[in-house]
Amino acid sequence: MIARYRGTGKRACTLISTCLSTSRAESNRHTNRRTFPVGLCGGGYKAGSQQRCSAYWTGLLAASAVVASVNTESEEPVPIDQTSDVLPKLLELLDQLYNSKKYVELLAVLDSCDEISSAELLWRRARVKWEIIKIEDKDTSIFARSDRVSQIQELVDLVDQALEMDETCSSAHRWKAILSDARSSLAGLKEQFRNLETKKYHLERAVELDPSDAAAMTLLGAWHMNLLELPLLPRFIAFVLLKIPKYGSYEDALELFLRAEEIAPAVSVGNVFLAGKAYFRLGNKSKAKEYLELAINREATSDEDLIYQDEAKQFARANSMS
């Protein structure tokens, strides 16, 4: 049991600031040291290094300070408005660990904060558990795991709790769209079609609440593109049998991709690839080639980026733009 440091909210804030500074330094020194859980956020740990990054311990210390700064006498979760002075620094630490792919450490911090009731913490818990699922399935198909639908449903439930707590949380809406889509994809084609409206609603709501959410814009543009490019049989099932309304156009999709690129330039490989594809569908081959080349030459920072780069190369070759 990790001792919780008692102190005022101000003291907790100072402690987390120190932890953040230490964590940044350690993150730079230990970028290749990672540990991953054997099971989904449970069971033992499989060490990727003999030493764990000290961000783990500083993270726990920071989280302990947050919990100590609130009234822990009650068994009920403490509403976050009572701890708003330390929440921004705690969220900064959590996002720093996420961006450094230190998922085990991030979960440890969240577990230390289970007495705090916050939409921001709930959707972040769902996000990191989703990343762990993807790590577990990296070497095998995610479709081979019969338990994945129920596990992903648990993550959807976490995001639903976040939205019940704060319907104006834009990131929770984005992650509801992402996770409900992942769950429905595993549950079958019919379920995936039924989830289309849910996914669209939450992406539009995310953009409405946060007009600077480039990721939600890319996902919404991709939503339009995927419907527009359905093969004949799935199109018949979606629009004739299930009577799903037809939405959008390539112009709508392209507008979203260009807005996302303006907000977060040179970040997403997938966004510029899809923009290039939309330009091609609209008959603008020179612009299509320009954006496909951007996708191919942009630095890949994730497995998803590498997949999009391969797709961009294949698309360019297939349409004589390579």
Side-chain angles (χ1 to χ4, degrees), residues 7-17 20 62 65-71 78-92 116:
T8 64
K10 182 177 181 181
R11 181 181 175 188
C13 236
T14 303
L15 183 55
I16 294 178
S17 296
L20 281 167
V66 175
V67 175
S69 70
V70 301
N71 177 16
V78 180
I80 199 60
D81 59 2
Q82 296 182 31
T83 61
S84 58
D85 55 337
V86 293
L87 180 62
K89 290 185 179 297
L90 174 60
L91 296 182
E92 183 184 349
I116 299 178

Side-chain angles (χ1 to χ4, degrees), residues 200-230:
K200 178 174 181 284
Y201 168 78
H202 287 286
L203 289 174
E204 288 181 335
R205 185 70 175 130
V207 173
E208 177 186 358
L209 291 167
D210 182 5
S212 66
D213 190 340
M217 290 178 193
T218 298
L219 290 170
L220 186 55
W223 185 93
H224 287 290
M225 290 279 286
N226 289 337
L227 269 185
L228 290 165
E229 304 205 336
L230 279 175

Side-chain angles (χ1 to χ4, degrees), residues 170-190:
S170 61
S171 294
H173 280 287
R174 170 158 39 87
W175 278 95
K176 173 62 184 280
I178 293 169
L179 293 170
S180 66
D181 181 63
R183 182 198 56 78
S184 65
S185 296
L186 295 179
L189 188 62
K190 190 174 181 180

Side-chain angles (χ1 to χ4, degrees), residues 2-3 5 15-16 19 55-66 109 112:
I2 295 175
Y5 289 78
L15 183 55
I16 294 178
C19 291
Y56 173 79
W57 303 109
T58 57
L60 286 177
L61 185 61
S64 298
V66 175
V109 174
S112 292

Side-chain angles (χ1 to χ4, degrees), residues 251-315:
E251 288 88 353
D252 293 332
L254 180 60
E255 181 183 354
L256 287 162
F257 298 140
L258 295 180
R259 282 171 60 194
E261 187 66 13
E262 183 179 354
I263 292 167
V267 172
S268 171
V269 172
N271 188 69
V272 287
F273 162 62
L274 292 170
K277 197 173 181 180
Y279 269 124
F280 182 82
R281 299 299 189 217
L282 290 168
N284 193 333
K285 194 170 181 178
S286 62
K287 274 291 187 181
K289 183 177 181 180
E290 175 187 341
Y291 275 81
L292 289 171
E293 288 177 350
L294 282 174
I296 293 168
N297 296 321
R298 182 165 289 179
E299 181 183 2
T301 59
S302 67
D303 292 339
E304 185 180 58
D305 284 347
L306 292 173
I307 292 171
Y308 275 124
Q309 283 187 333
D310 286 340
E311 289 187 18
K313 292 173 185 177
Q314 293 173 19
F315 190 85

